Amino acid sequence: MMNMIKKGLPAIALTLSTQTALAMSEHPMWVGQVILDQLEVRDTDEGRVMAWELDAWYGGDFNKLYFASEGERLMAPEEDEEDPATEGAETRLAWSRALSPNWDWQLGVRRDWQPDDPNRDWASIGLQGLAPYWFEVNTHLFVGEDGLSNLRLEAEYELMFTQKLVLVPSLEANLYGKEDDELGVGKGLTDIEAGLRLRYEIRREIAPYIGVNWEKQYGDTADFTRNAGGKTEEGSVVAGIRLWF
Amino acid sequence: MNKTPFSLPRRRFVQGLALGATGLGLSLSPRQLLATQGHTGAPILSGDTFHLTLGGADVNITGKTRQATTINGIVPGPTLRWREGDTVTIKVTNLLPETSSIHWHGLLLPFQMDGVPGLSFDGIKPGETFTYQFPIVQSGTYWYHSHSGFQEQTGLYGSIIIDPKTPDPQPFDREQVIMLSDWSDEDPKHIYATLKKVSHYYNFNERTVFDTLRDFRDKGVLQTLKDRHMWNSMRMSERDLADVTGYTYTYLMNGQSPNGNWTCQFNPGERIKLRFINASAMTFFDIRIPGLDMTVVAMDGQPVKPVDFHEVRLGVAETLDVIVEPKDDRAYTLFAQSIDRSGFARGTLTPDPALSAAVPDMDEPPLLGHTEMGMGAMNHGGMNHDTGDMDHNTMNHDIGGMDHSAMNHDMGSMDHSAMAVPFATDPANPDLAPRESATQHLDSEFGPGVDMRAMAPGEMLADPGIGLRDRDWKVLTYADMETAGGPPDSLHPDREIVLHLTGNMSRYMWSFNGIPFADAKPLELYHNERVRITLVNDTMMTHPIHLHGLWSDLELGDGKLLRKHTITVKPGEKLSYLVRADALGRWAYHCHLLYHMDAGMFREVRVIAKDGSQSMPAMDHHQHGEGA
């Protein structure tokens, strides 16, 4: 232990290589994974939108550093030059800790990036794992500035047609504890997003897919959007690729 | 499905190239290598002094050139032929860029010679030579392999034949080592990391929508949903038979891929001794020779009462000696399919090298059942058929009171149950915690690292195992074998230790009693005591458990013992074996599935003097598994 402190990272590398020499898990191996779960083009009324959802983690069996990013970007805006390219993005950084055989809990921070509107920072606590019947579930409670709160529920399922052809239904819902009038977000259920993606795993790591995505806003949020002249419901055809390494 | 299981490129991958590993090493042409090795596999080195050099060489087994680790330039390494009673000296020079080691699997020797870095010695540093020297006190078929990192996966293994002092009670005209192994073009570190990321990565036999629809049609919707309920609520797959499969593995027989068709020539009428060694990192092989009866004469090097059989599942690290007597002038296929039927190793026994025999189709991959779930074994005679239609009442069957003495009673070994065997106890060591019954689960078995616990593990010594229960022919089981010449040691234990084999499939964590090696204290045994170790498999995988340096006498009941060095425990199984702690020192005790061992299914066993004086022989400076 002393050596590790004195010599820093090279010593840690040395410790890890000793582990391989010992053929036993005295120092369990740390592993990392980057999953680009969605990198897709959505054909919407406003034009072509690129959307992404990325997860990455690094760590051991019990503790992991977790990073997530998702967002949308307008690829081919109409002639209006003022149209911002990025519609919105969010990044999360969390410490993930194994809670039970199938569940991890997470403690972290989130930042929402918005082109015009103010960015929002949140603290988050989440539960992530595999529910019975193989539903992948992600639940997060975000607590932000000015008493803002956001509860987000996500679920996903993998339906295998063959060993390589997989249909993935997904559902996401957001609830807010308090109105955020600067961003046009109401109280209560704000939006639901549902997707259905059919992917073909060329290898496990490389899987192009096609699908449909549907988003709908509810309550005051929908009113805000309507008043601003926006659409509160949008369905789109998507095509993209899922990658991990 | 069996007819054309794979598309052409995959077939080549699974079956390998025709030349297989003969392209190995040291810029020898295949022809030259054949000349060096003969056509019977690795060269045989005999005498009492040996020099082995560990190095690297390019191999081409699947069509891609890869680095293998080699012993004297070849994979598998040379066969070492020793004589019982001799003292052998083996100088091992490490030319690899990393620390290495050789462990003599199944041999009784001073622990400093056992070759486990961190326990026996420091390992052999790059460029160093380590001299092993020990007396040979046993005979039979054994093997040796690296105990460093994943070197065993990439080729550091070879066979050992020890000729007995006294004439072999089972004479033969010809003998042949049949070493089975698994080869991957992937770096083993990458395989391990992949399993940690996506544990089912290599399983291409998952249930699909169409399976469910077929079940709806065959069994009805309600019954299907009922059957699926348990699996789905436990988030387990009934098709999880092997962690690493033919997707990445090419299965080898004496270093040859299936297309290489390793061949052994014989004269009809000869008695041939085949010495099977499962030297794979992760693969259970189901071995048969269509058209030929086999007679088992030894297991793990130890003579057993001969039994005729047709097929056997050989666990990783186990060895099995059989006699075959082909009388006809025809070729026979040696067929060894992996437990999950994702590939096979194959060779030919023939009177004429030009002849070969048909290669059987692989079976359909079997499905795990309630037995594997630890919900109660249903057979005591290997007669049970597939478990899929077992009803759910059995699941709720409470057998909390099934304690160990009851088990002994079932096994009919009256002398055991008559004795009160003290359970091991040490407040500081959870592995030694007393339990009300063998099926009681310790607190340490509840946590993120353990995803299931067997509720009603059963005695399954006579169970041929999943996928072999419906055979029309005789499948050899542990219950069929008994060490020749009666019990080799006392039937009476002084103490009992219960260990549960535990894990979490999806997190790819493996452990004993829910405690991985990194957090475990050594198991301490007193010198010369007789300990009963009871293993309960709480996982859905089969684990070959290997104790170094000491014999493991498997209790078959009725006072029968089967002396072994590696004991395979099936999912949902509970079994016991007796260990005479007659060798002081620090010994490794672990699952012989390479990636399970590395993930934590490993313990140090210390044999210490009971009075505490001179508690251990001189040890190196490493201190493992204690605190820190």
Side-chain angles (χ1 to χ4, degrees):
Chain A
M1 202 59 207
M2 291 296 283
N3 274 349
M4 278 169 60
I5 295 162
K6 274 185 210 152
K7 293 180 189 163
L9 278 175
I12 292 170
L14 207 69
T15 315
L16 288 174
S17 68
T18 317
Q19 177 247 326
T20 61
L22 292 175
M24 48 185 114
S25 55
E26 197 187 6
H27 309 279
M29 186 161 106
W30 282 32
V31 176
Q33 188 181 19
V34 176
I35 313 157
L36 192 53
D37 201 41
Q38 292 174 15
L39 179 65
E40 66 190 26
V41 173
R42 295 179 181 173
D43 217 3
T44 70
D45 292 348
E46 296 150 31
R48 199 159 287 171
V49 170
M50 189 191 83
W52 72 89
E53 229 180 88
L54 176 122
D55 288 314
W57 57 264
Y58 182 76
D61 290 329
F62 288 94
N63 296 295
K64 290 179 170 72
L65 187 66
Y66 196 91
F67 174 82
S69 166
E70 59 181 84
E72 287 184 5
R73 196 179 165 85
L74 201 56
M75 288 168 76
E78 283 154 31
E79 292 311 302
D80 183 359
E81 282 162 34
E82 305 243 332
D83 247 355
T86 297
E87 296 192 335
E90 137 185 347
T91 51
R92 287 196 295 119
L93 192 66
W95 167 62
S96 185
R97 166 92 188 159
L99 175 71
S100 72
N102 294 295
W103 296 94
D104 294 335
W105 68 273
Q106 296 193 344
L107 208 58
V109 289
R110 156 184 156 192
R111 164 159 273 200
D112 299 348
W113 313 83
Q114 264 121 177
D116 309 331
D117 306 313
N119 293 338
R120 286 275 180 260
D121 292 317
W122 312 79
S124 75
I125 183 164
L127 189 67
Q128 185 168 321
L130 199 59
Y133 281 77
W134 305 89
F135 285 97
E136 218 171 283
V137 174
N138 244 320
T139 312
H140 287 280
L141 176 67
F142 302 100
V143 179
E145 304 142 83
D146 307 323
L148 287 173
S149 62
N150 169 207
L151 179 68
R152 182 185 292 166
L153 309 164
E154 293 169 275
E156 205 177 275
Y157 191 79
E158 296 196 344
L159 200 62
M160 296 182 70
F161 284 108
T162 72
Q163 302 300 318
K164 297 182 159 207
L165 192 65
V166 186
L167 185 70
V168 185
S170 62
L171 195 68
E172 175 180 335
N174 278 290
L175 295 103
Y176 276 69
K178 185 185 154 191
E179 181 178 289
D180 184 352
D181 48 5
E182 267 187 294
L183 294 182
V185 178
K187 191 181 165 184
L189 178 66
T190 59
D191 64 276
I192 285 180
E193 182 174 349
L196 196 61
R197 288 170 179 79
L198 182 68
R199 72 170 186 246
Y200 182 77
E201 298 184 349
I202 297 169
R203 307 171 44 87
R204 290 248 194 250
E205 299 92 333
I206 306 169
Y209 63 83
I210 51 167
V212 289
N213 200 64
W214 174 82
E215 291 169 79
K216 186 171 163 58
Q217 294 180 347
Y218 293 89
D220 294 343
T221 313
D223 292 339
F224 277 121
T225 305
R226 262 191 292 271
N227 293 340
K231 288 182 60 179
T232 61
E233 182 174 356
E234 176 141 59
S236 53
V237 174
V238 306
I241 190 161
R242 179 179 192 264
L243 300 166
W244 65 264
F245 58 87
Chain B
M1 172 178 174
N2 280 338
K3 300 293 177 212
T4 53
F6 310 117
S7 60
L8 211 60
R10 182 167 152 70
R11 177 171 287 275
R12 188 177 74 172
F13 196 50
V14 169
Q15 302 202 342
L17 291 178
L19 272 176
T22 53
L24 261 173
L26 307 179
S27 73
L28 290 177
S29 72
R31 186 179 295 272
Q32 282 172 307
L33 260 175
L34 278 177
T36 336
Q37 297 178 16
H39 199 52
T40 53
I44 297 169
L45 307 179
S46 52
D48 53 18
T49 305
F50 303 85
H51 202 141
L52 302 181
T53 304
L54 314 180
D58 283 345
V59 295
N60 188 341
I61 287 167
T62 65
K64 292 176 187 155
T65 301
R66 287 287 183 274
Q67 266 285 300
T69 48
T70 58
I71 303 160
N72 291 2
I74 53 169
V75 176
T79 297
L80 305 180
R81 181 134 214 163
W82 298 342
R83 281 183 309 265
E84 185 182 359
D86 281 2
T87 291
V88 291
T89 304
I90 314 124
K91 293 182 160 73
V92 180
T93 302
N94 179 16
L95 299 183
L96 293 164
E98 57 184 13
T99 300
S100 190
S101 58
I102 294 289
H103 160 63
W104 315 99
H105 186 102
L107 295 197
L108 308 180
L109 34 62
F111 87 96
Q112 298 91 337
M113 294 293 129
D114 193 42
V116 180
L119 297 186
S120 326
F121 70 149
D122 283 341
I124 314 170
K125 301 274 177 321
E128 276 184 10
T129 297
F130 183 84
T131 303
Y132 292 88
Q133 191 170 59
F134 49 89
I136 306 296
V137 298
Q138 63 205 97
S139 64
T141 306
Y142 301 91
W143 64 299
Y144 62 97
H145 60 83
S146 166
H147 227 287
S148 297
F150 299 117
Q151 292 167 0
E152 182 194 320
Q153 172 82 84
T154 54
L156 278 199
Y157 51 82
S159 50
I160 299 171
I161 302 173
I162 306 173
D163 292 316
K165 253 187 203 165
T166 53
D168 199 316
Q170 299 289 338
F172 47 86
D173 304 311
R174 181 186 294 274
E175 65 179 316
Q176 180 60 55
V177 168
I178 314 254
M179 191 167 229
L180 301 167
S181 58
D182 43 26
W183 169 266
S184 173
D185 279 345
E186 276 183 81
D187 182 337
K189 286 192 195 104
H190 186 255
I191 294 178
Y192 183 71
T194 302
L195 290 166
K196 284 275 188 195
K197 293 178 206 176
V198 181
S199 63
H200 62 271
Y201 183 94
Y202 297 99
N203 183 355
F204 283 82
N205 180 38
E206 300 279 17
R207 272 182 73 91
T208 67
V209 174
F210 301 110
D211 291 330
T212 307
L213 292 177
R214 203 188 46 229
D215 285 353
F216 281 171
R217 197 190 59 209
D218 296 347
K219 296 198 265 182
V221 172
L222 206 64
Q223 188 58 45
T224 304
L225 294 179
K226 266 169 97 178
D227 289 348
R228 296 303 306 154
H229 173 73
M230 176 180 62
W231 297 98
N232 285 331
S233 50
M234 291 186 74
R235 287 145 286 191
M236 298 264 171
S237 167
E238 63 187 336
R239 301 198 165 170
D240 225 338
L241 284 142
D243 297 335
V244 191
T245 69
Y247 177 72
T248 189
Y249 278 153
T250 301
Y251 300 109
L252 308 182
M253 183 173 289
N254 288 333
Q256 296 278 340
S257 68
N259 279 354
N261 188 20
W262 173 85
T263 300
C264 170
Q265 210 177 328
F266 68 90
N267 299 317
E270 282 181 329
R271 261 172 81 85
I272 309 168
K273 183 174 195 166
L274 301 175
R275 300 173 180 269
F276 287 104
I277 300 168
N278 186 345
S280 61
M282 289 296 283
T283 309
F284 291 85
F285 285 106
D286 293 346
I287 301 166
R288 62 187 208 257
I289 312 175
L292 212 51
D293 290 355
M294 292 182 264
T295 306
V296 61
V297 293
M299 188 167 210
D300 289 1
Q302 298 304 292
V304 299
K305 291 183 181 163
V307 178
D308 291 347
F309 71 100
H310 302 107
E311 187 168 18
V312 63
R313 173 163 296 161
L314 195 62
V316 174
E318 291 182 317
T319 75
L320 191 80
D321 294 355
V322 308
I323 302 273
V324 292
E325 294 182 77
K327 297 199 167 53
D328 301 334
D329 193 18
R330 57 160 284 202
Y332 299 89
T333 291
L334 295 155
F335 186 67
Q337 58 182 337
S338 68
I339 188 172
D340 66 321
R341 282 70 170 111
S342 63
F344 59 88
R346 160 252 184 163
T348 301
L349 273 179
T350 178
D352 174 357
L355 287 178
S356 63
V359 179
D361 292 329
M362 278 192 285
D363 297 309
E364 289 283 352
L367 298 178
L368 299 166
H370 286 79
T371 309
E372 281 71 32
M373 278 282 217
M375 306 242 171
M378 302 179 311
N379 70 308
H380 289 262
M383 293 307 288
N384 69 322
H385 296 281
D386 208 339
T387 52
D389 47 16
M390 187 174 177
D391 75 30
H392 283 237
N393 295 333
T394 317
M395 281 171 58
N396 305 323
H397 181 58
D398 178 21
I399 68 134
M402 185 195 218
D403 66 9
H404 202 87
S405 52
M407 177 185 138
N408 285 334
H409 183 68
D410 282 353
M411 289 167 62
S413 47
M414 296 305 289
D415 43 358
H416 291 187
S417 47
M419 278 181 60
V421 180
F423 272 77
T425 170
D426 174 358
N429 191 341
D431 286 345
L432 297 173
R435 303 188 203 219
E436 285 169 23
S437 70
T439 51
Q440 188 198 8
H441 301 284
L442 300 179
D443 289 348
S444 57
E445 289 164 53
F446 295 83
V450 181
D451 62 5
M452 72 175 277
R453 286 160 294 274
M455 288 186 286
E459 295 137 43
M460 295 163 67
L461 295 175
D463 175 10
I466 184 155
L468 296 178
R469 290 173 187 140
D470 288 335
R471 293 302 205 206
D472 301 331
W473 50 75
K474 170 66 187 163
V475 182
L476 189 70
T477 68
Y478 285 166
D480 297 322
M481 287 177 279
E482 181 187 353
T483 297
D489 197 340
S490 165
L491 299 166
H492 305 286
D494 304 321
R495 202 155 65 112
E496 171 156 4
I497 294 170
V498 179
L499 294 171
H500 285 233
L501 313 178
T502 45
N504 182 326
M505 268 323 277
S506 53
R507 291 187 193 271
Y508 211 73
M509 295 168 71
W510 299 101
S511 53
F512 287 106
N513 288 344
I515 307 166
F517 174 67
D519 304 327
K521 284 180 175 291
L523 275 173
E524 290 192 341
L525 309 184
Y526 298 117
H527 193 216
N528 281 327
E529 78 171 330
R530 187 77 163 152
V531 178
R532 171 187 285 152
I533 296 179
T534 294
L535 295 181
V536 179
N537 189 348
D538 282 342
T539 78
M540 290 219 302
M541 299 235 108
T542 312
H543 302 281
I545 304 297
H546 172 45
L547 173 60
H548 290 219
L550 309 169
W551 283 121
S552 301
D553 294 329
L554 182 63
E555 294 181 283
L556 303 174
D558 296 329
K560 292 185 200 162
L561 298 178
L562 177 62
R563 175 155 276 198
K564 290 179 63 51
H565 50 56
T566 307
I567 289 176
T568 293
V569 194
K570 295 183 275 284
E573 181 169 25
K574 175 176 72 174
L575 53 75
S576 296
Y577 54 98
L578 300 166
V579 173
R580 174 71 63 189
D582 54 5
L584 289 167
R586 306 175 65 184
W587 302 103
Y589 181 49
H590 60 91
C591 175
H592 220 284
L593 298 179
L594 187 61
Y595 303 104
H596 290 192
M597 171 177 82
D598 212 75
M601 206 181 258
F602 191 111
R603 281 291 185 277
E604 176 183 345
V605 167
R606 288 188 178 183
V607 179
I608 58 170
K610 188 157 195 176
D611 59 4
S613 69
Q614 198 230 331
S615 64
M616 297 288 287
M619 283 182 290
D620 62 70
H621 54 271
H622 275 261
Q623 291 298 315
H624 282 268
E626 289 185 310

